[in-house]
Amino acid sequence: MPLHADPYAADSSHPIEIIDIAEIPGGGQLRLLKSGADFSIQFGSEELMGSCDHVSEEALARLTCERLADNDGQVLIGGLGMGFTLGAALDAWSPRAAIIVAELVPKIVEWARGPLAHVFADRLSDPRVTIDVADVHDVIAAASDRFDAILLDVDNGPDGLIQAENERLYCNWGLRSAYGALRSGGVLAIWSAYPARGFDRRLERAGFAVEAVRVPAYAGSTDDDHHIWFARKVA
């Protein structure tokens, strides 16, 4: 979910079209923009997801699966976006896996089947996939020893930039809730555009064994990184 102010400012060769606007439950709007062949989902002037740069979103799923004992389990993805994390999860997990995507904004799912259908390809029709139009916080809170992996890419990092309610996922009790929703050995993976100092210790206080990894923000990047925390349930 890389944030870039005015992502099309450097390219004036294509006009920017507003394809649709989505209301965020609880307040705020998302805009689906198009410039040439490229699409962008924006919150205000900030880009939440673009169709061009998605290296770190794919790494979120791929690197999580590599840290599990097997790839047959149940996976929860927080946020559908443009489907890049979902696509990487489908590639990484086995045909026996179950992948649940919790998406808060109904129109994001409509876009996936409409103007972004070519970006999603056949991902939503994969029999392993279930789309749950719900707050991922509520899905986690209702679960107990259910998931082998929880992948969170619902904001700019472990905060509530887009929605203050997202803080519930990353506060002490929210992390303990995620710990309870995981099976033993399961992994909570959290994407961030920034290093978020002290977040490692918060995860450790919730009971997790923590590994922090930097990944390129986009293909070919050598000095622009995104961050992923891999928090393993050890009990």
Side-chain angles (χ1 to χ4, degrees), residues 47-224:
E47 183 181 62
L48 302 183
M49 175 58 68
S51 60
C52 294
D53 298 329
H54 40 82
V55 172
S56 62
E57 288 82 1
E58 293 171 337
L60 177 65
R62 177 175 50 81
L63 296 178
T64 300
C65 190
E66 290 176 1
R67 285 159 172 78
L68 295 174
D70 61 61
N71 63 351
D72 296 334
Q74 289 204 41
V75 182
L76 173 64
I77 299 176
L80 181 59
M82 290 190 178
F84 296 116
T85 298
L86 172 59
L90 289 170
D91 289 342
W93 268 271
S94 82
R96 295 175 295 280
I99 300 174
I100 299 95
V101 182
E103 173 54 57
L104 178 66
V105 182
K107 269 208 172 179
I108 296 290
V109 182
E110 292 180 21
W111 293 346
R113 296 189 169 111
L116 296 177
H118 66 292
V119 177
F120 276 81
D122 59 355
R123 292 167 186 164
L124 297 186
S125 62
D126 191 293
R128 293 172 288 175
V129 175
T130 300
I131 303 297
D132 190 353
V133 181
D135 190 326
V136 68
H137 166 272
D138 297 338
V139 178
I140 291 171
S144 178
D145 297 312
R146 176 182 178 186
F147 298 110
D148 296 273
I150 299 174
L151 316 180
L152 295 182
D153 181 9
V154 298
D155 218 304
N156 192 37
D159 56 28
L161 174 68
I162 307 306
Q163 270 206 316
E165 288 85 352
N166 287 339
E167 296 281 1
R168 300 176 301 168
L169 292 167
Y170 309 115
C171 68
N172 292 332
W173 58 265
L175 294 175
R176 288 195 297 269
S177 182
Y179 189 93
L182 286 167
R183 294 174 178 164
S184 180
V187 173
L188 169 66
I190 298 172
W191 182 98
S192 179
Y194 55 90
R197 291 181 182 177
F199 189 58
D200 303 55
R201 291 190 293 275
R202 197 185 309 168
L203 287 162
E204 289 169 351
R205 286 195 298 269
F208 290 105
V210 181
E211 177 188 5
V213 174
R214 294 191 300 176
V215 295
Y218 54 87
S221 172
T222 57
D223 57 2
D224 189 3

